[in-house]
Amino acid sequence: MLQAIVFLPLLAALVAGLGQRWIGATAAKLVTTGALFAACAMSWPIFLSFVAGNGEAGVVPVLQWVQSGSLSFDWELRVDTLTAVMLVVITTVSALVHLYSWSYMEEDPDQPRFFAYLSLFTFAMLMLVTANNLVQMFFGWEGVGLASYLLIGFWYKKPSANAAAIKAFVVNRVGDLGFMLGIFGTFLVFGTVSIPEILEAAPGMTGSSITFLGMRLDTMTILCLLLFIGAMGKSAQLGLHTWLPDAMEGPTPVSALIHAATMVTAGVFMVCRLSPMFETSEVALGVVTFVGAATCLFAATVGTTQWDIKRVIAYSTCSQLGYMFFAAGVGAYGAAMFHLFTHAFFKALLFLGAGSVIHAMHHEQDMRYYGALRKHIPLTYWAMMMGTLAITGVGIYGVFGFAGFYSKDGILEAAYASGGGGVAAFWVGIFAALLTSFYSWRLMFLTFFGKARWGESEHIQHAVHDAHHHHNHDDGDHHHAATGDGTAGYHPHESPWPMLVPLGVLSVGAVFAGFFFYKPFIYAEEGAAFWANSLAFDAHLMHLAHEVPLWVKWTPFVVMAIGLALAWNSYIRNPSLPARFVAQIGPVHNFLYRKWYFDELYDLLFVRPAFWFGRLFWKQGDEGTIDRFGPNGMAALVQGGSRLAARLQSGYLYGYAFVMLLGLVALISWTMVQFR
């Protein structure tokens, strides 16, 4: 069964990608979507068996892979609790994204290629999470990177899409370099790439040292930090985050797939899989905590200033990943995975809901040109409402809460209980929760409430103009009279059923995923049995987390309510307030709107110098040196020699005799010198 789950998406990708000319778009969509739903149907029983306590961890061999000296590893599929969680996350979201894409990509002429990329992406992610050795994990790691490059730049005729794809590819290669060095170092230290063998031997390496960059440093700290650099790139942590918002250039289903369940979760999964290694280094855990908290704060602040509906959700992804990492940093790996699990449902829901809004609004993505949509697309509205309630952590302690209420609050409680740097991370997380509530409800109010502002949109104006032109052409009427209600005569329509069904399914997850599964994920006794050594579960920490003061448990709800009130006051009660506030804090707002100037800084430090060196090597090195003295120089020398020879060939006999005489004299002179 595990082999079928992993390889069905690959088979479907090959059929759709290589056979698209023969089978057509419909068959390609049927094959890929059917394969993913089959994989999803086989994944849930495995996960539920571990939840029930009767699941068995094991390794399924595929083939012998590499045997080279002391380096030996096979292609094996590992299944345990951690793998089972990732299987349901990946296959569920991917299957729903495939179905959603039937309508969203209906008019695209390259549908087979798109669905092939989606399935290839899913296969690579499944390869990653079932890896039993670091090389196989890296194989899936790079496969995900390749597929993301293809998907982000799917509309390759669009310059911004190409730029975004290249940016994602380059930034992730920076992180992957760290990951590779970590794998090389791990093999050097442990003599194996087998994950079980490494994790078993890791505690014994505590306190040892290794030479790195000419310095004698703690072995496990260096290895863990190098591995974490890879996680930073793949999961878009501060410093290597710049690619994630630009990934919005890909189609909305791609955004949902990348941000909710696959690529960005790979880093969190890797840290949790190798958690026994990270537990041997307090410094590495401190770095993970700091980077996670900083990312959480950075993305939340930037999200409050964005107008593009997909970018707001993208920055919320970045922020939520920060929660997951600082949870891992304080030792609450189960809480990190729980938030990954619930986040997959409500974040996929929000992205696909945003796609439904964009579909209804003729590809308009600027929230300033929305408003009053809840009556026109009510199903989309309620789906996004469920996602918003989940991400903001709405719930009443001891009664009921949406998905994010259990998982995010579990992280915050564990961070506070861990003490030290965890308390600082707790307060950062509380402030980020306030901002998350504000920008999430801001999105809802700007999109679905207030007055219609569609008439100001160029996309809507073009749609109305085209409709009027068609109407005039058919009926000979004149343009409809201009409306004064802000709609410009445009009437949004609800999305078709292939887009609405995934929204409904994900809504169920956003509402109930936290309530039904919080005990096995984060409770002390239940969690220890559930995780069963698939990660380093600290039962003592989770016990302390549930005994934190009552104000710690209620603070996330309070800041959620404050964020909701601020958003309502700013965008419903007094819509002119945000503009006045921005005018007062102009420099601060500009700093946040420009994403802390990371793009400009990287452009100054890396992009421009790289282009300068490129031009230098091109003009001075390639053209000025290699070409000049190489092929071009030799060609010029031969050409000049040919011209000289042509001049010497006068056609007169005495000229040739004179040259022969000179040659004879030179030969005799050389002979006399040699035998002297």
Side-chain angles (χ1 to χ4, degrees):
M1 181 178 291
L2 189 59
Q3 298 100 316
I5 294 173
V6 174
F7 290 106
L8 271 176
L10 175 62
L11 179 62
L14 293 173
V15 171
L18 301 179
Q20 55 182 298
R21 294 184 178 180
W22 296 276
I23 65 175
T26 302
K29 293 189 290 186
L30 281 172
V31 169
T32 53
T33 307
L36 262 299
F37 272 95
C40 179
M42 290 183 284
S43 297
W44 274 97
I46 296 175
F47 169 69
L48 294 176
S49 69
F50 283 100
V51 173
N54 51 27
E56 294 184 4
V59 176
V60 179
V62 178
L63 53 83
Q64 293 184 334
W65 200 353
V66 172
Q67 179 70 52
S68 179
S70 60
L71 177 62
S72 175
F73 52 87
D74 297 331
W75 189 349
E76 299 171 326
L77 304 180
R78 178 185 181 92
V79 59
D80 55 16
T81 307
L82 187 60
T83 302
V85 172
M86 295 303 299
L87 287 179
V88 297
V89 166
I90 296 166
T91 58
T92 301
V93 174
S94 184
L96 294 174
V97 166
H98 275 73
L99 178 60
Y100 182 94
S101 301
W102 275 64
S103 290
Y104 195 89
M105 302 296 292
E106 186 177 9
E107 298 179 358
D108 197 286
D110 297 317
Q111 293 179 68
R113 179 167 61 91
F114 178 78
F115 280 83
Y117 289 169
L118 287 182
S119 295
L120 180 63
F121 192 104
T122 308
F123 163 73
M125 194 66 198
L126 292 171
M127 278 287 298
L128 192 158
V129 301
T130 57
N132 198 41
N133 62 74
L134 292 177
V135 178
Q136 184 182 334
M137 183 180 287
F138 188 76
F139 179 81
W141 195 272
E142 292 302 306
V144 171
L146 170 64
S148 69
Y149 170 78
L150 296 173
L151 285 169
I152 295 170
F154 178 75
W155 289 321
Y156 58 88
K157 295 181 180 179
K158 186 179 178 184
S160 57
N162 284 328
I166 293 172
K167 190 174 185 179
F169 192 83
V170 171
V171 173
N172 274 277
R173 297 296 76 72
V174 175
D176 294 350
L177 175 61
F179 192 32
M180 281 193 298
L181 292 175
I183 294 174
F184 296 155
T186 302
F187 177 72
L188 176 67
V189 171
F190 294 96
T192 180
V193 292
S194 171
I195 293 175
E197 294 178 13
I198 293 169
L199 299 184
E200 183 180 359
M205 297 301 300
T206 304
S208 64
S209 60
I210 191 173
T211 300
F212 182 74
L213 299 177
M215 298 176 287
R216 200 69 182 173
L217 302 170
D218 182 77
T219 301
M220 297 309 296
T221 297
I222 293 301
L223 294 182
C224 291
L225 289 179
L226 288 172
L227 293 169
F228 180 61
I229 290 173
M232 288 177 62
K234 199 65 72 180
S235 296
Q237 294 299 282
L238 191 64
L240 297 177
H241 68 279
T242 54
W243 68 270
L244 189 63
D246 291 353
M248 300 297 98
E249 291 292 341
T252 294
V254 172
S255 304
L257 195 60
I258 289 177
H259 288 74
T262 49
M263 187 169 175
V264 295
T265 63
V268 180
F269 166 81
M270 186 265 285
V271 171
C272 291
R273 171 65 81 197
L274 303 180
S275 53
M277 288 183 65
F278 283 83
E279 286 293 299
T280 63
S281 173
E282 292 185 3
V283 174
L285 289 177
V287 171
V288 174
T289 303
F290 175 80
V291 172
T295 304
C296 186
L297 177 63
F298 157 78
T301 58
V302 175
T304 60
T305 64
Q306 301 301 302
W307 295 109
D308 186 299
I309 187 172
K310 289 172 61 177
R311 284 187 177 269
V312 173
I313 304 173
Y315 278 106
S316 79
T317 299
C318 197
S319 183
Q320 300 306 309
L321 288 166
Y323 278 104
M324 300 174 203
F325 274 108
F326 80 66
V330 302
Y333 302 102
M337 288 303 302
F338 188 32
H339 198 49
L340 185 155
F341 178 76
T342 62
H343 177 263
F345 292 102
F346 62 72
K347 186 51 56 69
L349 176 60
L350 287 171
F351 265 115
L352 297 185
S356 184
V357 172
I358 296 168
H359 182 271
M361 294 299 290
H362 200 71
H363 308 294
E364 178 59 71
Q365 296 182 195
D366 195 323
M367 297 184 299
R368 289 172 291 188
Y369 305 131
Y370 289 166
L373 286 176
R374 70 184 187 278
K375 295 181 179 180
H376 298 271
I377 46 174
L379 297 178
T380 299
Y381 162 70
W382 282 110
M384 292 204 69
M385 178 62 75
M386 297 301 104
T388 302
L389 293 171
I391 194 173
T392 57
V394 174
I396 299 176
Y397 175 71
V399 181
F400 177 80
F402 292 82
F405 171 79
Y406 294 97
S407 59
K408 187 162 62 178
D409 285 23
I411 290 174
L412 293 171
E413 292 165 11
Y416 184 86
S418 68
V423 177
F426 166 80
W427 286 112
V428 171
I430 289 295
F431 183 63
L434 170 65
L435 298 180
T436 300
S437 177
F438 173 77
Y439 67 66
S440 296
W441 289 112
R442 169 179 177 261
L443 183 153
M444 290 297 295
F445 293 145
L446 284 173
T447 302
F448 296 104
F449 293 85
K451 296 180 179 179
R453 302 178 300 276
W454 319 334
E456 304 172 24
S457 167
E458 292 185 3
H459 292 274
I460 299 300
Q461 291 174 8
H462 291 160
V464 173
H465 177 269
D466 293 341
H468 286 167
H469 179 75
H470 180 73
H471 181 73
N472 293 339
H473 180 75
D474 289 345
D475 303 328
D477 286 341
H478 298 287
H479 288 245
H480 295 297
T483 59
D485 57 0
T487 67
Y490 183 77
H491 303 286
H493 297 286
E494 192 64 89
S495 299
W497 73 264
M499 296 174 64
L500 294 177
V501 169
L503 295 182
V505 175
L506 292 169
S507 295
V508 174
V511 176
F512 296 109
F515 178 76
F516 283 120
F517 297 109
Y518 70 97
K519 287 186 177 181
F521 273 88
I522 60 175
Y523 268 41
E525 292 77 13
E526 294 89 338
F530 174 67
W531 291 111
N533 299 318
S534 63
L535 50 71
F537 187 81
D538 190 341
H540 179 66
L541 174 62
M542 301 316 297
H543 181 73
L544 293 176
H546 295 299
E547 294 184 348
V548 296
L550 196 60
W551 69 265
V552 174
K553 297 179 181 292
W554 278 99
T555 301
F557 177 84
V558 172
V559 297
M560 180 280 301
I562 295 173
L564 169 60
L566 289 173
W568 177 83
N569 185 61
S570 300
Y571 296 98
I572 300 297
R573 182 176 176 269
N574 189 5
S576 63
L577 180 61
R580 297 201 307 269
F581 182 71
V582 169
Q584 293 179 348
I585 61 160
V588 177
H589 176 270
N590 196 52
F591 176 75
L592 299 179
Y593 183 73
R594 301 297 295 270
K595 299 159 287 189
W596 293 22
Y597 291 100
F598 267 101
D599 284 336
E600 289 80 359
L601 179 63
Y602 285 5
D603 183 70
L604 179 64
L605 295 179
F606 302 113
V607 179
R608 292 184 183 181
F611 274 100
W612 183 84
F613 276 110
R615 286 191 294 269
L616 177 65
F617 288 129
W618 172 31
K619 293 294 184 181
Q620 303 300 324
D622 188 19
E623 293 183 352
T625 303
I626 298 175
D627 287 349
R628 181 180 180 185
F629 298 103
N632 293 346
M634 293 299 297
L637 181 63
V638 172
Q639 188 177 20
S642 300
R643 291 174 180 174
L644 179 62
R647 290 185 178 182
L648 292 175
Q649 296 188 24
S650 61
Y652 293 103
L653 184 61
Y654 63 79
Y656 297 136
F658 180 70
V659 172
M660 293 175 62
L661 180 61
L662 291 176
L664 184 60
V665 170
L667 178 63
I668 294 173
S669 301
W670 179 81
T671 304
M672 292 176 64
V673 171
Q674 289 293 112
F675 292 98
R676 189 175 174 181

